[in-house]
Amino acid sequence: MKELARNTATMANYTKMLVNIVSEDNRDISPSTFLRYRNILKKKYIIEEIEPFSAGFKSRSYIVSSTKKIFVDPSLAIATLNLSFEEMMNQPINFGPFFENLVLRDLLIYADSLNAKTYHFRDRNGLEADAVLKMSDGRYALIEIKVGGINAIKNAEEHLLKIKKEIVKYNSKIKDPSMFQKEPSALIIITGVGESMTTKNGIHIVPIGCLKN
């Protein structure tokens, strides 16, 4: 009951925050009205919600349980912001959120065709993975999404290894074998450019053009 109350309170606070953002022009929009708008956008296939990877750790206290919201088509956001191709190319770092949205859209499509599911993962210590691809047999891959750049890929690699290390650490503290968390079957970094490869640490680098089912 406490966990349910906490999740309800979190959703209420999140909704109020979004209502405040939408209401910056001083028009009053109630939380219920905002949720109605959100549901309309979902039904019209404008936005999509990605569920949290609840199996990330079998103790729910480790998991942040909010959904991740993306555009079904990231070009909608680009058009809304009136961004040109030149503007995005001149500031590639600002292209990151759009690229992540694009990759997540593709992952949702390919996962569905494979009877798999796409999730996101974030724990209460701030560790997160941009996506988690979970197969129907229980295997899963932790995925980071980076436009490109050696430093960005290196940081993503370290980040994925840290999450895996935390899972091993979590298992070491669990006495009941039934509560052990399965380790990821693959660690993947999806990039915008470059060639596919596997690093010495076993991280798979996959350019977005190589994604397929």
Side-chain angles (χ1 to χ4, degrees):
M1 291 298 294
K2 290 182 179 180
E3 181 67 17
L4 177 60
R6 183 161 53 248
N7 288 340
T8 302
T10 299
M11 178 56 72
N13 290 334
Y14 179 68
T15 301
K16 289 179 181 178
M17 179 187 70
L18 290 179
V19 167
N20 289 334
I21 293 173
V22 175
S23 305
E24 284 182 347
D25 59 358
N26 296 321
R27 289 183 299 178
D28 292 329
I29 300 178
S30 68
S32 60
T33 299
F34 173 80
L35 290 176
R36 187 163 68 250
Y37 288 166
R38 186 204 64 177
N39 291 338
I40 290 172
L41 292 174
K42 288 180 64 176
K43 289 180 180 179
K44 295 294 185 180
Y45 299 101
I46 294 175
I47 65 171
E48 181 70 80
E49 292 186 323
I50 299 177
E51 297 296 324
F53 184 49
S54 60
F57 289 102
K58 295 186 179 180
S59 171
R60 293 286 295 180
S61 63
Y62 279 89
I63 304 303
V64 175
S65 56
S66 59
T67 59
K68 188 172 189 175
K69 297 168 179 62
I70 66 169
F71 282 100
V72 171
D73 184 345
S75 65
L76 292 170
I78 295 173
T80 301
L81 294 172
N82 197 28
L83 293 175
S84 67
F85 174 80
E86 289 75 19
E87 286 177 300
M88 290 189 292
M89 291 301 98
N90 290 334
Q91 296 181 315
I93 190 172
N94 295 330
F95 182 64
F98 301 116
F99 179 71
E100 180 179 333
N101 195 147
L102 178 67
V103 173
L104 289 172
R105 181 203 66 178
D106 287 358
L107 286 176
L108 286 168
I109 294 170
Y110 289 129
D112 186 63
S113 69
L114 295 170
N115 195 29
K117 296 292 184 180
T118 301
Y119 301 92
H120 76 94
F121 170 75
R122 181 159 64 94
D123 72 10
R124 298 193 183 278
N125 294 319
L127 276 179
E128 60 181 317
D130 293 327
V132 180
L133 183 64
K134 185 174 183 292
M135 306 300 290
S136 58
D137 61 6
R139 292 177 298 149
Y140 71 95
L142 296 176
I143 301 172
E144 280 287 281
I145 302 169
K146 300 296 178 185
V147 175
I150 295 176
N151 289 336
I153 292 175
K154 181 180 179 182
N155 290 338
E157 181 178 14
E158 293 174 352
H159 186 75
L160 289 172
L161 291 171
K162 185 175 182 180
I163 297 177
K164 183 176 180 179
K165 183 179 179 180
E166 285 298 313
I167 294 174
V168 173
K169 181 180 177 181
Y170 169 84
N171 285 338
S172 70
K173 296 179 179 179
I174 300 299
K175 296 181 179 180
D176 182 358
S178 67
M179 293 297 292
F180 284 175
Q181 166 57 32
K182 182 183 295 185
E183 294 184 22
S185 300
L187 302 177
I188 300 171
I189 301 173
I190 298 178
T191 65
V193 295
E195 298 181 354
S196 60
M197 61 174 290
T198 301
T199 71
K200 63 181 180 180
N201 291 317
I203 311 293
H204 303 292
I205 311 297
V206 181
I208 186 173
C210 294
L211 289 182
K212 60 181 180 179
N213 58 358

Coordinates of all heavy atoms in Angstrom, one line a residue, residues 147-178:
V147 N 24.6 9.7 -30.6 CA 24.7 10.2 -32.0 C 26.0 9.7 -32.5 O 26.1 9.3 -33.7 CB 24.5 11.7 -32.1 CG1 24.8 12.2 -33.5 CG2 23.1 12.1 -31.6
G148 N 27.1 9.9 -31.8 CA 28.4 9.5 -32.2 C 29.5 10.2 -31.4 O 29.2 10.9 -30.5
G149 N 30.7 10.0 -31.8 CA 31.8 10.7 -31.1 C 32.5 9.7 -30.2 O 31.9 8.9 -29.5
I150 N 33.8 9.7 -30.2 CA 34.6 8.7 -29.5 C 34.3 8.8 -28.0 O 34.1 7.8 -27.3 CB 36.1 8.8 -29.8 CG1 36.4 8.5 -31.2 CG2 36.9 8.0 -28.8 CD1 37.9 8.7 -31.6
N151 N 34.3 10.1 -27.5 CA 34.2 10.3 -26.0 C 32.8 9.8 -25.6 O 32.6 9.2 -24.5 CB 34.4 11.7 -25.7 CG 35.8 12.1 -25.8 OD1 36.7 11.3 -25.7 ND2 36.1 13.4 -26.0
A152 N 31.8 10.1 -26.4 CA 30.4 9.8 -26.0 C 30.2 8.3 -26.0 O 29.6 7.7 -25.1 CB 29.4 10.4 -27.1
I153 N 30.9 7.6 -27.0 CA 30.8 6.1 -27.0 C 31.5 5.5 -25.8 O 31.1 4.5 -25.2 CB 31.3 5.6 -28.3 CG1 30.4 6.0 -29.5 CG2 31.5 4.0 -28.3 CD1 30.8 5.6 -30.8
K154 N 32.7 6.1 -25.5 CA 33.5 5.6 -24.4 C 32.7 5.7 -23.1 O 32.7 4.8 -22.2 CB 34.8 6.3 -24.3 CG 35.7 5.9 -23.1 CD 37.0 6.7 -23.1 CE 37.9 6.2 -21.9 NZ 39.1 7.0 -21.8
N155 N 32.1 6.9 -22.9 CA 31.3 7.1 -21.7 C 30.1 6.2 -21.6 O 29.7 5.7 -20.5 CB 30.8 8.6 -21.6 CG 31.9 9.6 -21.4 OD1 32.9 9.2 -20.9 ND2 31.7 10.8 -21.8
A156 N 29.5 5.9 -22.7 CA 28.3 5.0 -22.8 C 28.8 3.6 -22.4 O 28.1 2.8 -21.7 CB 27.7 5.0 -24.1
E157 N 29.9 3.2 -22.9 CA 30.5 1.9 -22.6 C 30.7 1.7 -21.1 O 30.3 0.7 -20.5 CB 31.8 1.6 -23.3 CG 32.4 0.3 -23.1 CD 33.7 0.1 -23.9 OE1 34.2 1.1 -24.4 OE2 34.2 -1.1 -24.0
E158 N 31.3 2.7 -20.5 CA 31.6 2.7 -19.0 C 30.3 2.6 -18.3 O 30.2 2.0 -17.2 CB 32.4 3.9 -18.6 CG 33.8 3.9 -19.2 CD 34.6 5.2 -18.9 OE1 33.9 6.2 -18.4 OE2 35.8 5.3 -19.2
H159 N 29.3 3.3 -18.8 CA 28.0 3.4 -18.1 C 27.3 2.0 -18.1 O 26.8 1.6 -17.1 CB 27.1 4.4 -18.8 CG 25.8 4.7 -18.1 ND1 25.7 5.4 -17.0 CD2 24.5 4.3 -18.5 CE1 24.4 5.5 -16.6 NE2 23.7 4.8 -17.5
L160 N 27.3 1.4 -19.2 CA 26.7 0.0 -19.3 C 27.4 -1.0 -18.4 O 26.8 -1.8 -17.8 CB 26.7 -0.4 -20.8 CG 25.8 0.3 -21.7 CD1 26.0 -0.2 -23.2 CD2 24.3 0.0 -21.3
L161 N 28.7 -0.9 -18.4 CA 29.5 -1.8 -17.6 C 29.2 -1.6 -16.1 O 29.2 -2.5 -15.3 CB 31.0 -1.7 -17.9 CG 31.5 -2.2 -19.2 CD1 32.9 -1.8 -19.5 CD2 31.3 -3.7 -19.3
K162 N 29.0 -0.3 -15.7 CA 28.7 0.0 -14.4 C 27.3 -0.6 -13.9 O 27.2 -1.1 -12.8 CB 28.6 1.5 -14.2 CG 28.4 2.0 -12.7 CD 28.5 3.5 -12.6 CE 28.4 3.9 -11.1 NZ 28.5 5.3 -10.9
I163 N 26.3 -0.5 -14.9 CA 25.0 -1.1 -14.6 C 25.2 -2.6 -14.3 O 24.6 -3.2 -13.4 CB 24.0 -0.8 -15.7 CG1 23.8 0.7 -15.8 CG2 22.7 -1.5 -15.4 CD1 22.9 1.1 -16.9
K164 N 25.9 -3.3 -15.2 CA 26.1 -4.7 -15.1 C 26.8 -5.0 -13.8 O 26.4 -6.0 -13.1 CB 26.9 -5.2 -16.3 CG 27.1 -6.8 -16.2 CD 27.9 -7.3 -17.5 CE 28.0 -8.8 -17.4 NZ 28.7 -9.3 -18.6
K165 N 27.8 -4.2 -13.4 CA 28.5 -4.4 -12.1 C 27.5 -4.3 -11.0 O 27.6 -5.0 -10.0 CB 29.6 -3.4 -12.0 CG 30.5 -3.5 -10.8 CD 31.6 -2.5 -10.7 CE 32.4 -2.7 -9.5 NZ 33.5 -1.7 -9.4
E166 N 26.6 -3.3 -11.0 CA 25.6 -3.1 -10.0 C 24.7 -4.3 -9.8 O 24.3 -4.7 -8.7 CB 24.8 -1.9 -10.2 CG 25.5 -0.6 -10.0 CD 26.0 -0.5 -8.5 OE1 25.1 -0.7 -7.6 OE2 27.1 -0.1 -8.2
I167 N 24.4 -5.0 -11.0 CA 23.5 -6.2 -10.9 C 24.3 -7.3 -10.2 O 23.7 -8.0 -9.4 CB 23.1 -6.6 -12.3 CG1 22.2 -5.5 -12.9 CG2 22.4 -8.0 -12.3 CD1 21.8 -5.8 -14.4
V168 N 25.6 -7.4 -10.5 CA 26.4 -8.5 -9.9 C 26.5 -8.2 -8.4 O 26.3 -9.1 -7.5 CB 27.8 -8.5 -10.5 CG1 28.7 -9.4 -9.7 CG2 27.7 -8.9 -11.9
K169 N 26.6 -6.9 -8.0 CA 26.7 -6.5 -6.6 C 25.4 -6.8 -5.9 O 25.4 -7.2 -4.8 CB 27.0 -5.0 -6.6 CG 27.2 -4.4 -5.1 CD 27.5 -3.0 -5.2 CE 27.6 -2.4 -3.8 NZ 27.9 -0.9 -3.9
Y170 N 24.3 -6.5 -6.6 CA 23.0 -6.7 -6.0 C 22.8 -8.2 -5.7 O 22.3 -8.6 -4.7 CB 21.9 -6.3 -7.0 CG 20.5 -6.7 -6.7 CD1 19.7 -6.0 -5.9 CD2 19.9 -7.8 -7.4 CE1 18.4 -6.3 -5.6 CE2 18.6 -8.2 -7.1 CZ 17.9 -7.5 -6.2 OH 16.6 -7.8 -5.9
N171 N 23.2 -9.1 -6.7 CA 23.0 -10.5 -6.5 C 23.9 -11.0 -5.3 O 23.5 -12.0 -4.7 CB 23.4 -11.3 -7.8 CG 22.3 -11.2 -8.9 OD1 21.2 -10.9 -8.6 ND2 22.7 -11.3 -10.1
S172 N 25.0 -10.4 -5.1 CA 25.9 -10.8 -4.1 C 25.4 -10.6 -2.7 O 25.8 -11.3 -1.7 CB 27.3 -10.1 -4.2 OG 27.1 -8.7 -3.8
K173 N 24.4 -9.7 -2.6 CA 23.7 -9.4 -1.3 C 22.5 -10.2 -1.1 O 21.9 -10.2 0.0 CB 23.4 -7.9 -1.2 CG 24.7 -7.0 -1.2 CD 24.3 -5.6 -1.2 CE 25.5 -4.7 -1.2 NZ 25.1 -3.2 -1.1
I174 N 22.0 -10.9 -2.1 CA 20.8 -11.7 -2.0 C 21.0 -13.1 -1.6 O 21.8 -13.8 -2.2 CB 20.0 -11.7 -3.4 CG1 19.7 -10.2 -3.8 CG2 18.7 -12.5 -3.3 CD1 18.8 -9.5 -2.8
K175 N 20.4 -13.5 -0.5 CA 20.5 -14.9 0.0 C 19.6 -15.9 -0.6 O 19.9 -17.1 -0.7 CB 20.4 -14.9 1.5 CG 21.5 -14.1 2.2 CD 21.3 -14.2 3.7 CE 22.4 -13.4 4.5 NZ 22.2 -13.4 5.9
D176 N 18.4 -15.4 -1.1 CA 17.4 -16.3 -1.7 C 17.7 -16.3 -3.2 O 17.5 -15.4 -3.9 CB 16.0 -15.7 -1.5 CG 14.9 -16.6 -2.1 OD1 15.2 -17.6 -2.7 OD2 13.7 -16.2 -1.9
P177 N 18.1 -17.5 -3.7 CA 18.4 -17.6 -5.2 C 17.3 -17.2 -6.1 O 17.5 -16.8 -7.2 CB 18.8 -19.1 -5.3 CG 19.2 -19.6 -4.0 CD 18.4 -18.8 -3.0
S178 N 16.1 -17.4 -5.6 CA 14.9 -17.0 -6.5 C 14.8 -15.5 -6.7 O 14.1 -15.1 -7.6 CB 13.6 -17.5 -5.8 OG 13.3 -16.8 -4.6

